[in-house]
Amino acid sequence: MAKIDELKSLVSSQQEGLTQQQQKLSEMEEEHGRKLAGKIQEISELQSRLEQQAETQQQQLTKISELQSRFEQLAERERLKLSELNASHEREMAAKNKRIDEMQALLDRQMEPCEDVVEVTQRNRIILLTGYKEGSELNELKEAIEVLGGTVRHGSFSSDVTHCIAQGRTAKLLKALLKGIWVMDQSWISASKSSGGFLNEQDYGRRITKKPFDGMNFSVTRGFNQEAEKRNAQLLKICRSFVKMGGGKFVELGNNSDYIFIAKKEHSNQLARVQSLTWEGFLEKIESLGRE
């Protein structure tokens, strides 16, 4: 009987131990479940944030794609505009060059080339007066020339002119120099009148016997073209005319140019061997012909 009670007590003690173990296991399971739920919630929140970030990045990529597309469209429109402007500029320059060539051809027909120097005799002095205003000085000069047996030209540059007397720098004076015509000081007439006949030209004047720009190539910069258009619509035509009368020719910029016409405030970036000329410098160069 005592053994039975002892066994019952042992069984009861073991059952109580199992109950406590089951209770601990249950508590552990609950704790593990809470931790697992927390982890799952953290993972869920992290996944949600990642999805939001991915969505934000996708929106940013979409915006970048849209901006890139707009930029490409703008760039294409600007490229088309630039292409149209270039084409328009080329057409405009071609039309201007055509008009210049036409005017040059007309000018060439009006003027004989300066190939040959006119041989002057006592009987064929045809004297062009340029730069003089109407008045007593001009009248006295004309009278003296006619008394000496010469012929006066005033206002027109005909092909038979043999001498030029100028007051100041004029286009006719520069043409006379380029054409190899005698350019005389006014004192030549008064001295000749005192002596009773035309005196030797070499003592009172100058001329060239060959074209000063023979075989030379000339070019113009865009800056010179723009400056010329602002200053005088005929300046480019006059420039081409003077170069051609001097034996030179125009070529594209940088195409073996000997001289480059530049604007006043412009600097030539071409090779050092190429000489740059402003319009004023070119006129001074012509005006100095025959003084060397």
Side-chain angles (χ1 to χ4, degrees):
M1 196 65 184
K3 288 184 178 180
I4 291 172
D5 291 337
E6 185 179 348
L7 287 170
K8 285 181 178 180
S9 176
L10 180 61
V11 169
S12 176
S13 176
Q14 289 178 349
Q15 286 178 344
E16 184 178 352
L18 287 172
T19 301
Q20 291 176 352
Q21 287 180 356
Q22 287 177 349
Q23 186 177 356
K24 286 182 180 181
L25 286 172
S26 177
E27 290 174 356
M28 290 175 65
E29 286 178 355
E30 289 178 2
E31 180 68 20
H32 181 71
R34 285 193 299 271
K35 290 182 178 180
L36 183 60
K39 293 293 183 182
I40 291 172
Q41 185 176 356
E42 288 179 3
I43 292 171
S44 178
E45 291 175 353
L46 180 60
Q47 185 176 2
S48 177
R49 287 199 299 271
L50 289 173
E51 288 175 352
Q52 290 175 355
Q53 289 178 355
E55 184 179 356
T56 301
Q57 290 178 350
Q58 184 61 41
Q59 290 174 351
Q60 290 176 343
L61 289 173
T62 302
K63 287 183 180 179
I64 291 172
S65 179
E66 291 174 353
L67 288 172
Q68 185 176 2
S69 177
R70 289 172 58 188
F71 175 77
E72 289 175 352
Q73 291 173 359
L74 288 172
E76 179 63 18
R77 284 200 293 269
E78 291 301 318
R79 187 189 66 78
L80 290 173
K81 285 181 182 178
L82 183 61
S83 178
E84 290 173 359
L85 285 173
N86 285 336
S88 175
H89 179 70
E90 288 176 359
R91 289 193 297 270
E92 183 180 348
M93 289 304 298
K96 285 183 179 179
N97 287 333
K98 183 179 179 181
R99 289 197 297 270
I100 289 171
D101 290 340
E102 290 172 351
M103 294 300 294
Q104 180 67 55
L106 178 61
L107 191 63
D108 289 342
R109 289 195 296 270
Q110 293 175 345
M111 292 185 178
E112 67 174 3
C114 59
E115 301 277 342
D116 303 317
V117 176
V118 177
E119 291 300 326
V120 180
T121 68
Q122 288 289 106
R123 296 183 299 276
N124 73 342
R125 286 182 172 86
I126 300 173
I127 303 171
L128 172 69
L129 303 179
T130 176
Y132 289 90
K133 295 181 180 180
E134 294 292 340
S136 58
E137 182 181 18
L138 177 61
N139 293 333
E140 289 173 4
L141 193 56
K142 287 181 178 179
E143 182 180 351
I145 291 170
E146 291 171 353
V147 168
L148 288 166
T151 302
V152 176
R153 294 280 188 270
H154 182 236
S156 62
F157 198 132
S158 57
S159 59
D160 58 352
V161 168
T162 59
H163 297 71
C164 175
I165 300 175
Q167 193 169 69
R169 180 200 291 168
T170 69
K172 292 183 179 68
L173 166 67
L174 300 178
K175 290 176 184 177
L177 287 166
L178 289 169
K179 287 170 68 65
I181 290 170
W182 278 107
V183 172
M184 309 301 297
D185 188 86
Q186 184 176 330
S187 61
W188 176 56
I189 299 300
S190 56
S192 296
K193 184 178 178 181
S194 298
S195 69
F198 283 115
L199 297 175
N200 192 316
E201 283 85 359
Q202 293 179 352
D203 296 331
Y204 294 89
R206 57 193 167 105
R207 69 170 175 175
I208 59 172
T209 57
K210 63 179 181 178
K211 293 183 178 182
F213 311 134
D214 190 30
M216 295 183 182
N217 294 330
F218 289 75
S219 302
V220 298
T221 63
R222 179 174 293 183
F224 180 82
N225 272 326
Q226 293 171 346
E227 181 184 76
E229 289 175 1
K230 290 179 182 178
R231 291 179 59 175
N232 186 340
Q234 301 299 314
L235 195 146
L236 281 174
K237 181 190 73 173
I238 296 169
C239 180
R240 287 178 176 271
S241 171
F242 283 174
V243 167
K244 188 170 184 178
M245 274 192 284
K249 67 177 181 178
F250 273 86
V251 297
E252 292 296 325
L253 185 61
N255 188 12
N256 296 323
S257 303
D258 297 293
Y259 287 95
I260 297 178
F261 284 102
I262 61 173
K264 277 186 178 180
K265 297 182 179 180
E266 192 176 22
H267 296 284
S268 174
N269 294 324
Q270 303 297 320
L271 298 176
R273 66 178 180 80
V274 181
Q275 299 185 59
S276 59
L277 282 174
T278 61
W279 177 241
E280 286 73 16
F282 181 55
L283 298 183
E284 289 173 2
K285 188 176 184 66
I286 297 174
E287 193 173 10
S288 67
L289 291 174
R291 287 178 177 163
E292 295 81 1

